[in-house]
Amino acid sequence: MLDQKLIDSAPIPTHVAIIMDGNGRWAQQKHRPRLYGHKVGVESVQEIVEYASELGVKVLTLYAFSSENWKRPSTEVSGLMSLLKGYLLSELSKMLKNSVRLVSIGDIQKLPQDVREVLEKTIAETAGNDGLILNLALSYGGRSEIVQAVRKIASDVLAKRISLDEIDEKLITNHLYTSGLPEPDLLIRTGGEARLSNFLLWQASYAEIYFTDTMWPEFRREAFFRAIAEFQGRERRFGRTSAQLGSG
Ligand code: FPP
């Protein structure tokens, strides 16, 4: 049983980012094809989006497809693309009802045209919503995100729109795909691995990182609750000492 009061008494993280790992292994353990794991993984997405929204999380970023995932067998890639499209089409009415705003980060030009069109349409139709921001990382890679930011900034310097000493952390932050979004407070990775896999490399500098062995298809309300409860028990010092934080 979830004791909701337990987490209601402390601040809920503003931005939660999740590496949804373990779909393939979970399916293989059950002697089912990997795509079955992704399909059940979509149910976890639905449940976590709903719960995050109820809890008052402001931004939920989900690593749905990395720039490296294009290297997977073409049947798995097309299966994932069709799950994504199906998810967007089936969830639009729920997003509108719950005031969820969809945004995305990544090189979405690489997505198949039909998927991109549904994505752009869902983004446009939910643009006026003021509830949870659901941010899907699609064809996303943290290093290439930084490369494209550096290119834009360099071209601004070359064209003398900005000077070298105007380049600071804020300017770089503002040139990333996540411009305008707060940094993640809590970064969760399911599936038992403990690495960042090119996810939000710049933005996660001060995120609390939570690794769990739970495979994504089994990561539901209770597992999310546990991650939030653990986050609330951690002390975020941002480089300061505990004593400094205590004195405000
Ligand atoms: C990692 O599991 C997961 C992915 C590469 C894709 C995640 C996609 C979904 C949950 C479904 C579609 C998304 C949305 C937003 C509708 P893995 O295949 O790497 O697992 P493994 O490490 O066990 O092989």
Side-chain angles (χ1 to χ4, degrees):
M1 251 305 265
L2 304 184
D3 184 358
Q4 191 65 39
K5 282 198 284 308
L6 215 72
I7 58 173
D8 283 348
S9 55
I12 293 289
T14 303
H15 182 174
V16 180
I18 310 183
I19 302 175
M20 309 183 286
D21 196 18
N23 293 348
R25 278 167 292 151
W26 180 84
Q28 277 160 345
Q29 282 162 12
K30 299 191 153 359
H31 308 287
R32 303 289 298 263
R34 292 177 55 83
L35 210 52
Y36 174 70
H38 295 312
K39 213 168 146 197
V40 180
V42 176
E43 292 169 22
S44 296
V45 170
Q46 288 163 328
E47 200 165 313
I48 297 305
V49 169
E50 199 175 287
Y51 192 34
S53 190
E54 277 170 37
L55 287 174
V57 170
K58 300 277 183 281
V59 184
L60 177 68
T61 297
L62 300 179
Y63 205 3
F65 197 87
S66 75
S67 44
E68 287 75 30
N69 286 154
W70 294 113
K71 295 182 201 137
R72 291 193 175 196
S74 62
T75 47
E76 186 170 341
V77 171
S78 59
L80 277 166
M81 290 300 139
S82 94
L83 282 176
L84 173 65
K85 184 177 165 188
Y87 170 80
L88 294 170
L89 290 171
S90 74
E91 294 302 290
L92 176 63
S93 59
K94 217 197 282 173
M95 287 183 197
L96 293 172
K97 185 168 146 258
N98 297 334
S99 214
V100 171
R101 174 150 79 95
L102 185 80
V103 298
S104 80
I105 54 173
D107 187 1
I108 64 162
Q109 296 310 315
K110 288 212 173 113
L111 297 176
Q113 195 182 336
D114 60 327
V115 178
R116 203 175 67 227
E117 277 170 15
V118 175
L119 177 71
E120 284 168 350
K121 189 164 166 275
T122 314
I123 290 174
E125 290 190 22
T126 60
N129 290 347
D130 60 2
L132 174 78
I133 296 176
L134 172 59
N135 179 28
L136 295 185
L138 295 166
S139 191
Y140 173 85
R143 287 186 178 177
S144 62
E145 176 183 37
I146 294 171
V147 169
Q148 64 83 35
V150 169
R151 283 200 183 128
K152 268 195 236 155
I153 294 169
S155 76
D156 283 345
V157 172
L158 281 175
K160 301 201 187 309
R161 285 188 287 270
I162 59 167
S163 64
L164 266 187
D165 50 351
E166 281 177 86
I167 301 176
D168 58 10
E169 291 187 11
K170 190 158 172 263
L171 187 88
I172 294 174
T173 300
N174 291 341
H175 281 78
L176 298 175
Y177 293 133
T178 47
S179 172
L181 296 176
E183 286 182 2
D185 304 290
L186 170 63
L187 191 153
I188 298 172
R189 181 175 187 139
T190 64
E193 313 277 6
R195 51 177 175 263
L196 280 180
S197 297
N198 207 11
F199 189 45
L200 301 178
L201 296 179
W202 173 277
Q203 300 88 334
S205 293
Y206 286 100
E208 290 297 326
I209 304 187
Y210 177 86
F211 297 113
T212 171
D213 288 338
T214 304
M215 299 286 167
W216 178 253
E218 289 184 354
F219 192 87
R220 302 295 169 99
R221 291 172 89 95
E222 190 169 336
F224 191 63
F225 173 92
R226 270 191 230 183
I228 304 261
E230 164 142 350
F231 167 83
Q232 290 178 331
R234 293 196 196 169
E235 182 185 52
R236 303 185 76 200
R237 294 199 295 275
F238 300 97
R240 296 186 179 85
T241 67
S242 296
Q244 284 175 308
L245 292 176
S247 64

